[in-house]
């Protein structure tokens, strides 16, 4: 499915993290047919453990799952307010990386969500709306072989 | 045994009147209380007792809230005091008691002296019996509910697995066939995307089916069901489950397997919700005629009986109730900073004997 040469996502997310002082940045990508097209966190920057490697997401579940299914950007300024302790275990990446404030963007290819970009802080309310939009702009329309905005077919 | 007469009979009757836990009233033909024993004085309000000593009429009515008739749960219609002709040899009455509110009593009201018209009114507290009854009823209901839920889950799970998923799979095969037919690139891409969606959908449905009730539990037994369940947990929550089983593919009754599976499922879910750890140890083995399950984590732990409930508090209750279904015993130990361990013991011999008896 990748038409363009393999893109250096690692470098890109490392840059993103240092530029905005983010605690954690990660990219989840849809896996090839051999892996039944599951969505897994492929590249991480700023992780505190390797738990992300075990997580395979079902669509509609977890952060990546929700963004994948809805195709809409997601902003959680304060995880404790937006999710609540009882439901938190359904968001393994938030638990594993102890994120408190985060944003997620769908990454597109041929009008299908093929990946999810996640970034966040381990501090409540650190990701403001303004910063969220700034990061969205910084990423621009293209991110790797994917694009960060849904394109309308003419 | 010798027939009692004279003094010894009086003595015994006197003792019974003084010390019986049954409340005894003697009531004259007009419904006035002639005498009552200490047990009766204990349950009535002091001002009601005073009225009785002042020989006020209907003084018992101050306490009595009514009795259970065929028409009503609590009724004053055809009161036993007013129309003693009806059969009041055994009935249920509600009294307002000192400090304990309205309490149900098993009562008996009958004539003991025809010439003077004196009657005896005896009361026995039913609260405890009612509680026992209620508990029995509750646990019976719960058993039905759990069984109904399991059956329904099994039905939906089978349906999803056998018909919905199969149907989808054949569509998927069709789609793959189209890819090798003579189609242009745009169509091919669209087909590829559809293939991805359907594969994903198929997986979702399979997960759903397994989540409801794994077919492997019925077909292959506990060990197989657990292995696939833990694999799913690992993928969904990123938590490692260290599972060791020493059952050598032994099978148990459907009821036992369901209980063990559900209790373990709940225990593991609790661990990954509240223990703040990414490793859970599960051990399943048979020892001394007991099937044992141990679910242990080295997480944050909690104080038992602290009254502070993190979740709904129903999970633990449900686990206990489920274990009781198969006469199992559930123990829970937890230490702050050291983690939590849940152990389930299920006696195997007893159940086998019971089952044989049933057959």
């Amino acid at each position: 499915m990748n038409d363009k040469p393999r893109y250096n996502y690692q470098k890109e997310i490392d840059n993103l993290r240092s530029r905005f002082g983010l605690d954690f940045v990660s990219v989840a990508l849809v896996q090839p047919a051999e892996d039944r097209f599951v969505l897994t966190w492929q590249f991480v920057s700023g992780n505190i453990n390797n738990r992300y490697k075990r997580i395979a997401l079902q669509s509609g579940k977890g952060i990546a799952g929700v963004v994948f299914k809805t195709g809409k950007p997601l902003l959680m300024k304060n995880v404790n307010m937006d999710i609540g302790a009882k439901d938190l275990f359904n968001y393994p990446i938030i638990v594993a990386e102890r994120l408190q404030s985060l944003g997620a963007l769908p990454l597109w290819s041929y009008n299908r969500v093929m990946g999810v970009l996640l970034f966040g802080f381990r501090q409540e309310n650190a990701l403001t709306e303004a910063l969220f939009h700034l990061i969205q702009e910084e990423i621009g329309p293209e991110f790797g072989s994917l694009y960060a905005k849904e394109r309308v077919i003419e | 045994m010798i027939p009692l007469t004279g003094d010894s009979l009086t003595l015994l009757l006197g003792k019974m009147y003084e010390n019986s836990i049954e409340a005894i009233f003697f009531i004259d033909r007009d419904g006035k209380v002639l005498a009552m024993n200490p047990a009766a004085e204990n349950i009535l309000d002091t001002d009601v007792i005073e009225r009785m000593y002042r020989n006020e009429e209907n003084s018992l009515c101050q306490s009595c809230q009514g009795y259970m008739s065929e028409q009503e749960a609590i009724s004053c219609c055809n009161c036993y005091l007013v129309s003693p002709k009806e059969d009041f040899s055994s009935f249920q009455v509600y009294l307002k008691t000192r400090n304990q509110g309205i309490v149900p009593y098993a009562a008996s009201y009958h004539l003991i002296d025809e010439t003077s018209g004196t009657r005896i009114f005896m009361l026995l507290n039913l609260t405890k019996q009612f509680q026992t009854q209620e508990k029995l009823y509750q646990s019976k209901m719960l058993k039905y509910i759990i069984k109904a839920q399991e059956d329904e889950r099994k039905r939906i799970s089978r349906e999803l697995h056998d018909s919905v998923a199969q149907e989808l799979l054949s569509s998927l095969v069709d789609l793959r066939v189209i890819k090798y037919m003579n189609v242009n690139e745009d169509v091919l891409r669209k087909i590829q995307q559809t293939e991805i969606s359907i594969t994903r959908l198929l997986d979702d449905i399979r997960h759903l089916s397994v989540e409801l009730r794994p077919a492997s539990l019925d077909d292959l037994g506990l060990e197989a069901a657990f292995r696939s369940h833990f694999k799913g947990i690992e993928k969904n929550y990123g938590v490692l489950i260290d599972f060791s089983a020493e059952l050598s593919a032994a099978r148990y009754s459907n009821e036992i397997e369901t209980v063990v599976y559900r209790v373990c499922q709940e225990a593991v879910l609790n661990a990954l919700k509240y223990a703040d750890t990414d490793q859970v140890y599960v051990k399943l083995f048979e020892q001394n005629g007991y099937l044992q399950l141990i679910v242990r984590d080295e997480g944050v732990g909690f104080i038992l009986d602290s009254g502070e409930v993190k979740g709904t508090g129903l999970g633990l209750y449900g686990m206990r109730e489920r274990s009781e279904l198969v006469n199992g015993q559930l123990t829970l130990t937890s230490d702050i900073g050291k983690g939590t361990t849940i152990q389930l013991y299920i006696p195997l011999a007893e159940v086998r004997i019971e089952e044989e008896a049933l057959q």
Side-chain angles (χ1 to χ4, degrees):
Chain A
M1 294 226 82
N2 290 340
D3 304 335
K4 291 182 183 177
R6 202 167 168 80
Y7 186 82
N8 195 342
Y9 287 102
Q10 191 61 50
K11 203 174 139 207
E12 193 77 7
I13 60 174
D14 283 340
N15 286 344
L16 201 64
R17 191 164 73 89
S18 64
R19 217 189 130 168
F20 293 97
L22 293 154
D23 288 324
F24 180 76
V25 185
S26 180
V27 175
L29 294 174
V30 171
Q31 294 307 291
E34 307 89 87
D35 291 326
R36 305 194 62 83
F37 312 109
V38 292
L39 197 61
T40 53
W41 299 107
Q42 290 292 303
F43 302 95
V44 292
S45 179
N47 56 312
I48 50 177
N49 56 46
N50 284 330
R51 217 164 128 181
Y52 74 91
K53 284 185 183 164
R54 288 188 217 129
I55 303 168
L57 288 141
Q58 290 177 42
S59 86
K61 295 199 175 159
I63 290 292
V66 169
V67 174
F68 184 85
K69 199 157 222 173
T70 58
K72 297 275 182 287
L74 178 94
L75 171 63
M76 276 193 199
K77 280 186 254 181
N78 185 346
V79 165
N80 300 320
M81 296 275 286
D82 292 340
I83 299 179
K86 271 186 200 169
D87 213 24
L88 200 60
F89 76 100
N90 278 318
Y91 300 84
I93 194 77
I94 297 181
V95 177
E97 292 297 332
R98 303 190 186 282
L99 300 177
Q100 298 288 331
S101 178
L102 59 97
L105 300 173
L107 300 171
W108 301 81
S109 173
Y110 299 105
N111 294 295
R112 293 277 171 143
V113 183
M114 295 306 277
V116 174
L117 174 68
L118 170 75
F119 44 88
F121 294 96
R122 298 193 178 95
Q123 199 185 349
E124 285 182 16
N125 301 313
L127 188 67
T128 59
E129 230 152 284
L131 183 57
F132 185 56
H133 289 299
L134 198 67
I135 293 174
Q136 262 179 293
E137 255 167 53
E138 165 72 19
I139 291 162
E142 302 229 352
F143 189 81
S145 60
L146 308 167
Y147 36 90
K149 283 206 177 90
E150 192 172 4
R151 285 177 186 172
V152 181
I153 308 170
E154 281 161 34
Chain B
M1 211 180 84
I2 44 154
L4 284 171
T5 47
D7 287 349
S8 50
L9 178 65
T10 319
L11 190 76
L12 269 184
L13 280 178
K15 281 212 188 303
M16 171 188 157
Y17 183 76
E18 281 301 314
N19 300 323
S20 171
I21 52 159
E22 232 172 293
I24 300 170
F25 299 85
F26 291 107
I27 293 169
D28 72 5
R29 68 171 82 234
D30 304 321
K32 277 185 202 155
V33 177
L34 291 169
M36 63 180 122
N37 72 342
E41 289 201 30
N42 267 335
I43 57 173
L44 294 182
D45 264 327
T46 35
D47 66 303
V48 176
I49 297 170
E50 271 168 36
R51 272 167 209 260
M52 286 176 178
Y53 279 118
R54 270 186 264 129
N55 267 334
E56 272 181 42
E57 273 187 39
N58 299 332
S59 46
L60 196 60
C61 287
Q62 300 289 324
S63 273
C64 180
Q65 303 292 307
Y67 75 103
M68 187 185 282
S69 71
E70 280 164 16
Q71 281 79 37
E72 268 181 288
I74 299 180
S75 157
C76 270
C77 219
N78 287 326
C79 172
Y80 49 97
L81 290 174
V82 179
S83 50
K85 292 223 167 54
E86 295 198 20
D87 182 18
F88 281 108
S89 59
S90 172
F91 62 107
Q92 192 182 322
V93 71
Y94 293 88
L95 289 195
K96 203 157 105 196
T97 59
R98 204 191 302 168
N99 305 331
Q100 281 177 27
I102 295 166
V103 173
Y105 285 92
S108 147
Y109 185 65
H110 49 262
L111 199 62
I112 51 169
D113 186 355
E114 217 154 326
T115 46
S116 68
T118 306
R119 285 158 200 278
I120 186 168
F121 182 44
M122 291 196 290
L123 298 170
L124 186 66
N125 194 333
L126 277 178
T127 317
K128 212 174 157 200
Q129 194 192 331
F130 275 15
Q131 280 168 351
T132 315
Q133 238 169 41
E134 187 142 330
K135 224 172 166 187
L136 182 75
Y137 175 73
Q138 259 179 3
S139 91
K140 218 178 201 171
M141 268 321 273
L142 199 83
K143 272 185 200 186
Y144 284 130
I145 291 170
I146 288 176
K147 188 170 181 316
Q149 191 196 30
E150 278 309 327
D151 285 351
E152 187 65 1
R153 277 169 169 246
K154 197 192 273 185
R155 190 184 68 80
I156 299 171
S157 168
R158 286 263 175 211
E159 194 83 356
L160 284 175
H161 183 269
D162 295 351
S163 83
V164 180
Q166 287 315 309
E167 207 61 24
L168 261 182
L169 188 66
S170 57
S171 319
L172 198 58
V173 172
D174 285 346
L175 265 184
R176 284 181 190 146
V177 171
I178 297 175
K179 279 205 298 194
Y180 297 103
M181 289 160 82
N182 200 7
V183 287
N184 70 32
E185 206 180 311
D186 281 350
V187 177
L188 193 65
R189 181 166 296 131
K190 206 74 214 161
I191 288 171
Q192 231 162 3
Q193 287 178 342
T194 314
E195 188 193 344
I196 294 178
S197 315
I198 293 187
T199 308
R200 206 181 276 283
L201 182 59
L202 191 58
D203 279 345
D204 281 353
I205 289 171
R206 280 186 181 143
H207 285 142
L208 204 61
S209 164
V210 170
E211 240 169 68
L212 281 166
R213 186 185 163 91
S216 53
L217 185 58
D218 298 313
D219 301 341
L220 303 167
L222 276 172
E223 214 175 310
F226 274 140
R227 287 210 192 278
S228 60
H229 176 60
F230 295 148
K231 218 161 98 189
I233 293 254
E234 231 165 274
K235 277 190 187 164
N236 273 327
Y237 303 103
V239 172
L240 265 186
I241 315 273
D242 188 316
F243 177 54
S244 66
E246 294 154 20
L247 295 181
S248 53
R251 296 299 307 265
Y252 304 93
S253 77
N254 189 277
E255 213 178 8
I256 289 186
E257 289 187 337
T258 305
V259 167
V260 174
Y261 186 79
R262 292 297 182 207
V263 167
C264 181
Q265 206 177 19
E266 183 68 32
V268 169
L269 197 67
N270 280 346
L272 63 95
K273 267 186 192 173
Y274 308 117
D276 196 15
T277 173
D278 62 349
Q279 187 139 16
V280 182
Y281 305 86
V282 178
K283 206 174 164 190
L284 189 64
F285 58 100
E286 206 184 310
Q287 200 175 50
N288 307 329
Y290 283 85
L291 178 62
Q292 295 190 35
L293 169 79
I294 300 175
V295 180
R296 182 172 62 88
D297 68 67
E298 290 166 1
V300 291
F302 64 98
I303 302 168
L304 299 168
D305 309 317
S306 69
E308 190 188 320
V309 181
K310 267 192 178 170
T312 54
L314 277 175
L316 211 56
Y317 178 76
M319 288 201 294
R320 284 236 154 84
E321 289 295 330
R322 276 187 189 271
S323 350
E324 276 171 21
L325 290 181
V326 288
N327 303 317
Q329 227 189 354
L330 192 81
T331 56
L332 176 69
T333 49
S334 188
D335 264 319
I336 295 282
K338 283 187 183 157
T340 306
T341 305
I342 282 177
Q343 273 181 287
L344 174 68
Y345 299 87
I346 296 176
L348 293 170
E350 247 174 76
V351 178
R352 274 186 196 136
I353 292 164
E354 265 174 41
E355 265 170 19
E356 275 160 24
L358 275 177
Q359 282 160 8

